[in-house]
Amino acid sequence: MKRLLAVFLLISSQTMAQKLVIQDNVRFLALGDSYTIGESVTKASRWPFLLIDSLHSRGIDGLEPSIIATTGWRTDDLKKAISKAKLKPEYTLVSLLIGVNNFYQGKTVEAFAPEFEELLLTAIRLAKGNKSSVFVVSIPDYGYTPFGKDNQEKITKGINSFNEVSKRITEALGVKYINITDISRRGIHEPDLIATDGLHPSEKMYAEWVLRIISESKIEAAKAEEN
């Protein structure tokens, strides 16, 4: 009974610790794949850049985001790229969005889980060990795009399974999980949310992601008008 109580208290404390605090003088590192590099949109339209712009409008200073992401990357590809980049733990904000290509390329969710966890632990380390400076973005559902609509049921089922695993790991580690998948599922009925390639998000959808991220964050700056 004592052991069960200890486990419950540990899980409860981790759940309570799930918060995202964005402080002034942001040094932002975004880790991911095509959704982070912004396939089919301009550099300024990528969501990490839109996030920094949004923070600037709220009185938060910050450098241009550093991005380690490439279209087609799986969790193992991202791990190799981070290792090669030899990053230092100097970031005040780190995001992780990865997994769609694990699913698309036929990798199992069971194989994805430990690789995702390792990447998230790396993200925490790069944020100087501060979990409240790290957040995970859920995988968008490309079944609701012109590219994926004919296989929507299969794609949605797969995306759900990968997101369930990533959310469970994220919350167990006490990190903020931000769900944007529901926004992506409006794409089939709102064409302007989809980029011209018929698959990836448009700047408009990325802007909605940023609003979601901001709404679920605590912004701390002496000159910010609202927190």
Side-chain angles (χ1 to χ4, degrees), residues 9-81:
L9 290 174
L10 176 60
I11 294 174
S12 297
S13 64
Q14 289 172 332
T15 301
M16 291 175 62
Q18 294 161 14
K19 60 181 179 179
L20 176 61
V21 179
I22 303 177
Q23 299 180 334
D24 209 352
N25 300 312
V26 176
R27 191 178 181 90
F28 181 27
L29 171 66
L31 307 171
D33 49 35
S34 60
Y35 294 124
T36 298
I37 200 65
E39 183 74 20
S40 296
V41 300
T42 65
K43 178 180 177 180
S45 299
R46 299 170 181 174
W47 73 261
F49 283 83
L50 295 177
L51 177 58
I52 290 296
D53 288 344
S54 183
L55 291 172
H56 284 165
S57 71
R58 289 167 168 78
I60 299 288
D61 288 332
L63 301 173
E64 179 175 296
S66 298
I67 297 179
I68 296 186
T70 294
T71 299
W73 273 1
R74 304 180 304 267
T75 44
D76 55 328
D77 299 309
L78 180 56
K79 176 185 174 182
K80 291 174 185 176

Side-chain angles (χ1 to χ4, degrees), residues 95-121:
S95 67
L96 177 62
L97 196 180
I98 194 73
V100 68
N101 294 300
N102 292 66
F103 167 69
Y104 181 73
Q105 297 174 29
K107 305 300 180 181
T108 67
V109 70
E110 290 78 14
F112 164 76
E115 294 178 347
F116 177 84
E117 182 173 359
E118 184 177 356
L119 284 170
L120 186 51
L121 289 170

Side-chain angles (χ1 to χ4, degrees), residues 64-188:
E64 179 175 296
S66 298
I67 297 179
I68 296 186
T70 294
T71 299
W73 273 1
R74 304 180 304 267
T75 44
D76 55 328
D77 299 309
L78 180 56
K79 176 185 174 182
K80 291 174 185 176
I82 293 172
S83 178
K84 185 176 180 180
K86 299 186 183 303
L87 301 173
K88 297 179 180 179
E90 58 188 6
Y91 298 94
T92 63
L93 187 64
V94 181
S95 67
L96 177 62
L97 196 180
I98 194 73
V100 68
N101 294 300
N102 292 66
F103 167 69
Y104 181 73
Q105 297 174 29
K107 305 300 180 181
T108 67
V109 70
E110 290 78 14
F112 164 76
E115 294 178 347
F116 177 84
E117 182 173 359
E118 184 177 356
L119 284 170
L120 186 51
L121 289 170
T122 297
I124 294 169
R125 177 181 62 80
L126 293 172
K128 299 181 281 190
N130 189 350
K131 294 181 179 182
S132 64
S133 296
V134 181
F135 65 102
V136 168
V137 179
S138 68
I139 303 169
D141 188 345
Y142 67 93
Y144 288 77
T145 68
F147 176 87
K149 65 179 182 179
D150 292 339
N151 294 304
Q152 181 191 312
E153 185 176 352
K154 178 182 178 181
I155 292 168
T156 296
K157 182 178 179 180
I159 296 299
N160 282 344
S161 66
F162 275 74
N163 276 334
E164 286 168 4
V165 167
S166 63
K167 182 179 182 181
R168 184 172 68 246
I169 292 170
T170 301
E171 293 182 345
L173 290 176
V175 171
K176 183 68 176 179
Y177 184 89
I178 297 180
N179 176 29
I180 53 78
T181 308
D182 60 318
I183 298 173
S184 71
R185 288 175 175 154
R186 290 163 40 200
I188 200 68

